[in-house]
Amino acid sequence: MDPILEIQTLAFPWACLDPFLFCVHHVDLFPAGNAKLGPAASLEGRDLGQDFAAKDGWNMYHGETVPGFPAHPHRGFETVTVVRQGLIDHADSLGAAARYGQGDTQWLTTGAGIVHSEMFPLLKSNGPNTAELFQIWLNLPASKKKAAPNFQMLWADQIPHRKQDGVELTLIAGALGEQCPPSPPPDSWAADPATEVAIWIIQLEPGATWTLPAASAGLNRALYFYEGGTLKAADQECRSGQRLRLRSDAPLPLINGAKASSLLLLQGRPIGEPVAQYGPFVMNREVELEKAFEDYRKTRFGGWPWPVADPVHSASQGRFARHPDGRQETR
C-alpha cells in the first residue's frame, strides 16, 4: 500500500486539505531595530501598507512603521500561529494583549468575530531580528462558527519536543505516544480527539531515518517539505519545496539526504461542509458571508480599544499574555 497519494510543488500560500484552509511560512531577515521597534533601514522603494516583495530579504507586510498586520477582522475559523524565531505583539477587540514567540504558539478561535493585530517588533538594536513563523488557518464546523472568540497560549516550555537519533519532533497538536500537547481551545475542531488533528514540525539531521506512524483511515494528511535538500519518502525521491499528500492509515518511512531537512505535518479528519470564504471571513454559505460583513460594519466586533491600529508593547516587555478576563501569564 503506497503511502504517497500525490506530490506537488509548493506555491504561495501552501495548498491545504480540509479541515485546514491556509498555511504560510514566513521567514524575514529583518535588520536591527530603531527606537520605534521598526527597521533601522530605509523604507524607500517599498509599497508601504502592502509590502510583500521580500526586498532585502524582509517585508513590512501591512505595517508602515513596524512590520506586521495592523487591526483586521476575522470570523468563522481559527488561526494557529507558530513562532519559531522572533516575536509577535498581539492586541484585539476584546482588550486582550500578548507578546509571544521564540517557540510559542498562539491558538485563536475567531468564532463569531474578532479584530486583532499582529505586529513584529524589532527589539534588537545592535543586530539582525530574524523572524520565522507559520500561520495556519483551521476551519470551524457550522455548529461552532458563532462560538465566543477565544485565544490560548501554548508556551514553548509547554509544547512537547522529542529529539533522538538525529530526529527532532515538535508537537503543536496531536499526541505521539505518551507525549501530548496542551489542549486546544474548547470550540476547536481539534478539541475532539476523534478528529485526530495533528500539527507537527519534523526536523531531520543529515542521513537521519524516521517513520511517520500510521493514523486512522479517512483523515486528510499532508507533509510539507519546506527546508533542506532531498530525502527519500517510502521509495520516492523528494526535494525541498514539495507537498506530499499521504494515506493516513499507512506509515511513511523517511530517509534524509545530505542536508538537514524540516517538514510540517498537517493532519485531520475533514469537516466535510461547504466553504464560503471572502478574505478574513469563512462561513458555509454566501448569505452568511454577507451577514458577516453587515455585522462587522455595525458592531466592529466589539470595537477597537487601542489608540492606534498597530500597537506594540514596550521594548522592555517580556513574553506575556493578558486575557479578556484579566488573567495574566508571563514567561
Side-chain angles (χ1 to χ4, degrees):
M1 185 166 57
D2 189 347
I4 300 176
L5 300 174
E6 181 183 29
I7 298 178
Q8 290 182 324
T9 300
L10 290 179
F12 183 89
W14 295 350
C16 288
L17 304 171
D18 182 9
F20 296 95
L21 299 162
F22 173 91
C23 182
V24 66
H25 180 223
H26 291 295
V27 179
D28 286 284
L29 306 178
F30 291 121
N34 59 27
K36 296 182 178 179
L37 307 188
S42 172
L43 300 181
E44 186 177 353
R46 293 182 179 271
D47 184 11
L48 290 182
Q50 192 71 24
D51 176 28
F52 290 80
K55 183 176 182 289
D56 301 324
W58 51 276
N59 299 295
M60 289 294 289
Y61 299 106
H62 297 310
E64 297 191 8
T65 303
V66 175
F69 299 86
H72 56 283
H74 289 303
R75 171 181 277 187
F77 64 101
E78 297 185 290
T79 64
V80 183
T81 308
V82 183
V83 185
R84 305 283 285 170
Q85 298 182 75
L87 293 165
I88 292 182
D89 280 0
H90 165 92
D92 67 38
S93 53
L94 304 178
R99 169 170 286 168
Y100 65 98
Q102 300 169 355
D104 303 326
T105 292
Q106 185 195 72
W107 197 312
L108 173 67
T109 303
T110 71
I114 193 170
V115 181
H116 75 146
S117 66
E118 304 159 285
M119 307 308 297
F120 308 155
L122 308 184
L123 300 187
K124 295 178 184 177
S125 60
N126 59 351
N129 287 272
T130 299
E132 179 193 0
L133 64 101
F134 294 99
Q135 171 103 151
I136 301 164
W137 290 11
L138 176 63
N139 202 6
L140 288 167
S143 62
K144 299 293 187 179
K145 286 192 179 290
K146 291 295 184 70
N150 177 69
F151 87 83
Q152 182 168 317
M153 293 305 309
L154 283 62
W155 300 107
D157 59 3
Q158 298 172 326
I159 295 171
H161 295 267
R162 188 172 84 177
K163 190 169 186 179
Q164 185 177 4
D165 299 329
V167 180
E168 183 172 2
L169 304 176
T170 304
L171 310 180
I172 309 300
L176 178 61
E178 296 182 354
Q179 291 186 296
C180 299
S183 298
D187 291 303
S188 176
W189 182 245
D192 180 356
T195 65
E196 295 188 51
V197 169
I199 303 173
W200 297 354
I201 297 170
I202 304 159
Q203 294 174 284
L204 305 174
E205 294 180 4
T209 64
W210 183 70
T211 296
L212 175 65
S216 299
L219 310 179
N220 280 333
R221 190 181 229 194
L223 191 61
Y224 299 84
F225 185 8
Y226 66 90
E227 186 177 82
T230 61
L231 59 75
K232 181 175 286 188
D235 292 324
Q236 298 200 45
E237 293 288 341
C238 302
R239 65 181 185 276
S240 178
Q242 292 182 323
R243 185 195 76 168
L244 285 65
R245 186 166 64 88
L246 306 174
R247 292 185 63 98
S248 60
D249 56 349
L252 178 71
L254 297 171
I255 304 174
N256 195 28
K259 294 179 63 176
S261 294
S262 298
L263 305 98
L264 174 71
L265 174 73
L266 296 183
Q267 170 191 286
R269 194 168 302 283
I271 294 172
E273 296 176 351
V275 173
Q277 178 178 354
Y278 191 93
F281 303 141
V282 182
M283 306 303 291
N284 297 103
R285 300 179 297 158
E286 293 293 328
V287 65
E288 293 169 328
L289 283 179
E290 295 171 6
K291 183 65 164 60
F293 278 99
E294 179 185 352
D295 289 348
Y296 177 60
R297 284 193 296 268
K298 287 181 178 179
T299 70
R300 296 296 175 183
F301 296 158
W304 187 247
W306 306 91
V308 294
D310 57 349
V312 292
H313 310 303
S314 71
S316 61
Q317 175 65 58
R319 290 153 55 226
F320 81 103
R322 184 178 69 246
H323 296 260
D325 62 3
R327 180 168 55 93
Q328 295 266 1
E329 298 178 88
T330 59
R331 282 298 185 275

